[in-house]
């Protein structure tokens, strides 16, 4: 039986296309300029986003790896392509929050910008059909999405990543409000940080701005039609590049 070495499209998501490579344990993620929000009810495109998010994610994965976090990241053959270790994604969106924003405000009534006394870890079921509902630990166990040990590992990793990213973004004069992580299992059942970390998946506020709209440097500019979306993504990229080169 011959083994095909041609890249085959394995999966197309909202922000990335995943291809197979000649090596079965390695996949190629191609970052797209397409942007969606509100469970893909709002669609658009952000010029240069694929390159920007791939570059930001690669630097953040490298930084996290250097601080002991195991990730799926290997390298970036081009500006919008990332070679990653193949993992089976655990269908949980792990959100860590430092400051109240977005759905936390909508669901709890906490005012936007409320500083949380300690980081909050929220789990959502990664299911477009069901609209990514909020999960509880018991529901994760009931649905057999993850084991108790995996939930504990994921929670600890998410909090560790939060501390590291808060520190990193502080050096960029950016406040890390909240962000979403995804984890996957490799062939050895080891949990690796996967997906991406970018202005699409984080709320990032410019710490030098107090104006509630001007400070936004993330996908909320697209979600809320605040304008200058590309400019904000570029700004984050430039600050990340400066931080990693200093
Ligand atoms: N997030 C994401 N993908 C999702 C949902 C949320 O990357 O499908 C990120 C979002 O950018 C924010 C954080 O997770 O940084 C918390 O989002 P929230 O639950 O407040 O939902 P939203 O208000 O974005 O709908």
């Amino acid at each position: 039986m011959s083994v095909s070495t041609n890249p085959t499209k394995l999966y197309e998501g909202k922000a990335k296309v995943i291809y197979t490579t000649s090596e079965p344990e390695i996949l190629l993620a191609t970052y797209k300029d397409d942007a969606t929000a509100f469970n893909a009810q709002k669609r658009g495109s952000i010029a240069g986003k694929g390159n920007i998010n791939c570059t930001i994610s690669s630097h953040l994965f490298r930084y996290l790896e250097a601080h002991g976090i195991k990730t799926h990241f290997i390298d970036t053959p081009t500006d919008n392509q990332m070679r990653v270790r193949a993992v089976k994604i655990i269908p949980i969106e792990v959100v860590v929050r430092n400051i109240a924003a977005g759905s936390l405000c909508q669901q709890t009534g906490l005012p936007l910008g409320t500083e949380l006394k300690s980081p909050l870890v929220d789990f959502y079921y990664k299911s477009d059909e069901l609209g990514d509902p909020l999960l509880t630990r018991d529901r994760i166990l009931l649905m057999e999405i993850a084991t108790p040990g995996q939930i504990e590992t994921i929670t600890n990793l998410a909090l560790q990543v939060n501390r590291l990213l808060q520190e990193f973004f502080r050096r960029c004069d950016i406040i890390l409000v909240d962000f979403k992580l995804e984890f996957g299992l490799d062939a050895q059942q080891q949990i690796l940080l996967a997906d991406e970390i970018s202005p699409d998946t984080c709320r990032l506020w410019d710490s030098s701005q107090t104006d509630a709209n001007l400070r936004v440097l993330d996908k909320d500019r697209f979600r809320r039609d605040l304008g200058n979306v590309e400019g904000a993504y570029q700004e984050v990229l430039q600050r990340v590049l400066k931080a990693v080169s200093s």
Side-chain angles (χ1 to χ4, degrees):
M1 192 176 74
S2 73
V3 177
S4 164
T5 54
N6 288 335
T8 308
K9 193 196 275 191
L10 194 63
Y11 168 80
E12 177 151 7
K14 284 173 251 172
K16 291 183 287 297
V17 186
I18 310 293
Y19 296 93
T20 59
T21 69
S22 53
E23 294 159 273
E25 304 233 316
I26 297 179
L27 300 175
L28 185 72
T30 304
Y31 284 61
K32 303 194 284 186
D33 288 354
D34 299 354
T36 62
F38 312 120
N39 205 12
Q41 286 170 45
K42 181 181 169 90
R43 288 173 184 274
S45 177
I46 301 170
K49 178 171 85 76
N51 288 2
I52 295 172
N53 280 359
C54 183
T55 308
I56 293 172
S57 284
S58 68
H59 285 295
L60 295 176
F61 281 136
R62 276 196 197 97
Y63 163 78
L64 292 172
E65 285 274 357
H67 289 82
I69 305 289
K70 292 196 169 74
T71 81
H72 71 158
F73 175 77
I74 300 172
D75 57 17
T76 48
T78 72
D79 281 352
N80 77 331
Q81 291 184 318
M82 186 181 284
R83 291 197 319 139
V84 298
R85 291 176 189 90
V87 292
K88 187 170 183 290
I89 292 286
I90 298 169
I92 300 176
E93 300 199 339
V94 183
V95 170
V96 184
R97 303 174 189 275
N98 299 305
I99 293 176
S103 68
L104 181 65
C105 296
Q106 285 157 18
Q107 291 167 7
T108 64
L110 274 176
L112 173 70
T114 307
E115 280 193 36
L116 308 185
K117 287 199 182 84
S118 54
L120 176 66
V121 180
D122 279 334
F123 300 119
Y124 297 85
Y125 186 35
K126 197 171 147 60
S127 163
D128 287 340
E129 283 154 43
L130 299 176
D132 297 348
L134 185 64
L135 287 170
T136 61
R137 184 179 181 280
D138 284 350
R139 286 188 186 201
I140 294 174
L141 296 176
L142 172 79
M143 295 158 76
E144 298 183 349
I145 301 171
T147 65
Q150 288 171 336
I151 299 172
E152 198 187 334
T153 304
I154 286 169
T155 305
N156 290 337
L157 283 170
L159 289 170
Q160 226 178 313
V161 169
N162 182 47
R163 283 191 292 274
L164 290 165
L165 290 183
Q166 274 188 309
E167 167 60 26
F168 182 90
F169 280 118
R170 213 172 283 132
R171 286 195 266 135
C172 304
D173 295 318
I174 286 173
I175 299 166
L176 179 62
V177 174
D178 59 29
F179 59 96
K180 184 261 301 182
L181 298 176
E182 294 184 23
F183 294 90
L185 295 170
D186 70 7
Q188 290 74 42
Q189 299 299 297
Q190 181 177 222
I191 294 182
L192 302 184
L193 178 61
D195 196 45
E196 67 176 280
I197 309 173
S198 72
D200 268 10
T201 62
C202 303
R203 283 198 171 89
L204 304 169
W205 289 353
D206 184 343
S207 54
S208 68
Q209 293 282 357
T210 48
D211 180 274
N213 291 342
L214 289 178
R215 69 187 173 191
V216 175
L217 293 175
D218 56 66
K219 199 160 105 177
D220 273 349
R221 297 208 76 81
F222 170 76
R223 291 189 188 99
R224 293 163 44 204
D225 294 319
L226 296 178
N228 194 28
V229 188
E230 294 93 337
Y233 277 60
Q234 267 295 347
E235 182 65 30
V236 175
L237 173 63
Q238 295 313 319
R239 293 191 196 191
V240 166
L241 292 177
K242 197 171 161 208
V244 294
S245 68
S246 61

